[in-house]
């Protein structure tokens, strides 16, 4: 392995490997009223990630075309029904995040339901809202069938399972909201959620890699430890060590394959 490719490998693994982002939205609701303010944010994103959308009038349109952008965030101050659509984050290289579907309602009643799939076993609360205040009472429907009448406008589904998936809407005094889909995803196999687990592995990998390289270099060249952690191309005197150096690197790579 040449040192240039080694450097490329290390930099791709250690500085830029979090090639993913998560889109979040505030308020976290699949439906919003016309004229409401909505902020979209690309979380865990490095530079160059921007919010894009597909609507009935936009195709992969960037934030600049329809919102106010600040870094990896994008805000629409007054939502319009034509802002209804699918939103996601995209990097300059074309990587994409999760998508979020937002419906901007012209009706007097909206259903606030989670924008992201909820985890099996979680409790999920759906809220029926009118423009004025929380409604005194609301009827909730799943797939067109009335399932509950709640006096405070909130319906909580306890320990959701796949069977709770479906299209939900609510009704207040004869006025119905639009429908929104509730998605339930399976329980993860580990206790850490995937992005966190990923990041931990990468950090562990980087620390151990740099530590081993630094230890090796210290031992091989007897150089100052503070200098040895810096990855510099070898001098001519060090060229002969390249083979051993490669062995260390492949050992590290094998140990931390993921
Ligand atoms: C956005 O629209 C384009 C063109 O219709 C389509 O190829 C793409 O899959 C859409 N993206 C999303 C996230 O829906
Ligand atoms: C229901 O709709 C009617 C007609 O659009 C409206 O006057 C009334 O205020 C609405 N009720 C609620 C609770 O939003
Ligand atoms: C809720 O109330 C409406 C009448 O307001 C009734 O038609 C419906 O069956 C009720 N739903 C449930 C689940 O009790």
């Amino acid at each position: 392995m040449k040192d240039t490719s080694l450097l490329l490998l290390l930099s791709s693994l250690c500085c830029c490997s979090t090639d993913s982002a998560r889109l979040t939205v505030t308020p976290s609701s699949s439906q919003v009223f016309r004229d409401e303010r909505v902020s979209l944010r690309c979380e865990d994103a490095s530079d160059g990630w921007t919010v894009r959308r597909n609507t009935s009038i936009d195709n992969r349109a960037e934030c600049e075309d329809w919102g106010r952008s600040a870094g990896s965030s994008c805000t629409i101050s007054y939502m319009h029904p034509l802002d209804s659509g699918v939103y996601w984050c995209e990097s300059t290289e074309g990587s994409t995040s999760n998508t979020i579907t937002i419906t901007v309602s012209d009706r007097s009643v909206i259903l606030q339901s989670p924008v992201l799939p909820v985890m099996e076993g979680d409790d999920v609360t759906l809220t029926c809202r009118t423009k004025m205040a929380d409604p005194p009472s609301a009827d909730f429907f799943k797939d067109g069938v009335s399932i509950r009448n709640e006096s405070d406008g909130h319906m909580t589904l306890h320990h959701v399972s796949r069977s709770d998936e479906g299209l939900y809407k609510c009704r207040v005094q004869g006025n119905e909201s639009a429908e929104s889909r509730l998605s339930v995803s399976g329980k993860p196999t580990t206790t850490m959620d995937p992005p966190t687990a990923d990041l931990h592995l990468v950090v562990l990998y980087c620390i151990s890699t740099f530590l081993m390289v630094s230890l090796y270099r210290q031992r091989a060249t007897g150089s100052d430890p503070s200098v040895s952690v810096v990855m510099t191309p070898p001098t001519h005197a060090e060229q002969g060590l390249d083979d051993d150096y490669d062995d260390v690197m492949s050992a590290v790579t094998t140990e931390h394959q993921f």
Side-chain angles (χ1 to χ4, degrees), residues 5 51 140 165 169 181 207 236 246:
S5 55
V51 185
F140 288 87
E165 285 190 327
K169 68 178 177 187
R181 178 165 299 281
I207 291 172
H236 279 297
D246 285 349

Side-chain angles (χ1 to χ4, degrees), residues 32-34 36 105-110 112 127-137 152 172-173 175:
V32 298
F33 286 119
R34 176 199 269 263
E36 266 194 290
S105 183
D106 244 344
R107 306 184 188 196
S108 59
V109 176
I110 59 166
Q112 285 192 320
T127 301
C128 202
R129 274 183 63 205
T130 63
K131 275 179 184 162
M132 311 305 154
D134 277 347
S137 76
D152 65 353
V172 176
Q173 290 157 15
N175 297 341

Side-chain angles (χ1 to χ4, degrees), residues 3-198:
D3 270 63
T4 41
S5 55
L6 178 72
L7 276 171
L8 278 175
L9 174 79
L10 280 178
S11 57
S12 66
L13 276 169
C14 297
C15 85
C16 321
S17 65
T18 50
D19 196 20
S20 67
R22 212 159 33 86
L23 176 64
T24 60
V25 62
T26 311
S28 182
S29 173
S30 51
Q31 294 180 21
V32 298
F33 286 119
R34 176 199 269 263
D35 290 343
E36 266 194 290
R37 175 199 190 85
V38 164
S39 287
L40 300 133
R41 240 176 90 85
C42 300
E43 310 258 3
D44 305 332
S46 45
D47 285 349
W49 285 80
T50 51
V51 185
R52 289 181 183 260
R53 76 177 192 183
N54 281 355
T55 66
S56 57
I57 50 167
D58 283 325
N59 187 356
R60 278 189 73 234
E62 282 192 85
C63 174
E64 278 70 27
D65 300 337
W66 44 264
R68 199 154 34 78
S69 77
S72 295
S73 299
C74 193
T75 301
I76 303 176
S77 299
Y78 301 98
M79 289 292 266
H80 186 276
L82 286 175
D83 291 314
S84 300
V86 182
Y87 292 75
W88 70 93
C89 297
E90 191 167 322
S91 73
T92 43
E93 287 85 31
S95 301
T96 55
S97 70
N98 59 303
T99 61
I100 284 178
T101 302
I102 300 175
T103 303
V104 185
S105 183
D106 244 344
R107 306 184 188 196
S108 59
V109 176
I110 59 166
L111 177 75
Q112 285 192 320
S113 64
V115 283
L116 299 173
V118 294
M119 215 51 87
E120 226 170 355
D122 282 358
D123 291 349
V124 176
T125 298
L126 308 182
T127 301
C128 202
R129 274 183 63 205
T130 63
K131 275 179 184 162
M132 311 305 154
D134 277 347
S137 76
D139 302 337
F140 288 87
F141 296 78
K142 183 193 175 205
D143 299 323
V145 179
S146 169
I147 53 164
R148 269 201 239 167
N149 295 326
E150 298 284 356
S151 57
D152 65 353
H154 302 284
M155 176 178 72
T156 301
L157 302 166
H158 294 283
H159 310 296
V160 293
S161 64
R162 297 268 177 178
S163 62
D164 290 310
E165 285 190 327
L167 285 171
Y168 288 81
K169 68 178 177 187
C170 64
R171 184 170 66 191
V172 176
Q173 290 157 15
N175 297 341
E176 277 186 4
S177 72
E179 281 185 318
S180 280
R181 178 165 299 281
L182 181 75
S183 302
V184 179
S185 59
K187 254 196 174 358
T189 47
T190 65
T191 46
M192 284 187 288
D193 56 338
T196 318
D198 239 32

